[in-house]
Amino acid sequence: MDNDRPADHPEIAYSSGRSYVIGFVITVALLGISLLLVQYHAMSAFNLLASISVLAFLTTVAKLVFLFHLDFSETQRWNTLTLMLNVPLLILSIGLTAWMFRTLYDRVMMH
């Protein structure tokens, strides 16, 4: 059966305004908590970094689930697989960029 109506596709059927609002509220709340932790120096530097890292991870998961609707259902399987294959590349890119700037700083700046 050939279906030309975009609204009938399963990818579109899963999306709803309620899901987007929930994702937005969760994301803003987690980012607000991070802002308050930094603004009021709520804990030591290491604990602050760990807390912000956890909150950033939770924010990313909330965005993926509520805004991008990624899950392991049949319709989203390829999008989720693509994301899982790109995450190591993203981590490598960030890590190698940080390493490059750190070594550049050591070579260029006078101590």
Side-chain angles (χ1 to χ4, degrees):
M1 182 164 124
D2 196 37
N3 194 352
D4 292 331
R5 290 184 40 187
D8 291 338
H9 287 268
E11 295 88 358
I12 304 300
Y14 286 126
S15 63
S16 68
R18 182 173 182 256
S19 173
Y20 289 117
V21 170
I22 290 171
F24 179 75
V25 168
I26 289 173
T27 301
V28 169
L30 290 171
L31 293 174
I33 292 169
S34 299
L35 174 69
L36 292 174
L37 287 175
V38 171
Q39 189 174 12
Y40 293 113
H41 304 288
M43 52 190 73
S44 68
F46 178 77
N47 290 337
L48 187 62
L49 181 64
S51 300
I52 290 174
S53 298
V54 168
L55 289 170
F57 176 75
L58 292 175
T59 301
T60 303
V61 169
K63 287 180 182 181
L64 291 174
V65 171
F66 290 107
L67 301 177
F68 297 130
H69 306 290
L70 289 183
D71 55 13
F72 293 106
S73 66
E74 186 70 28
T75 56
Q76 293 294 328
R77 180 176 33 185
W78 290 111
N79 291 339
T80 305
L81 179 65
T82 303
L83 175 73
M84 290 169 64
L85 292 174
N86 281 304
V87 165
L89 293 175
L90 177 68
I91 292 171
L92 274 172
S93 299
I94 293 170
L96 290 174
T97 301
W99 172 75
M100 178 188 69
F101 279 114
R102 178 64 187 164
T103 58
L104 181 66
Y105 177 81
D106 288 340
R107 285 185 275 148
V108 174
M109 302 304 287
M110 295 190 314
H111 295 285

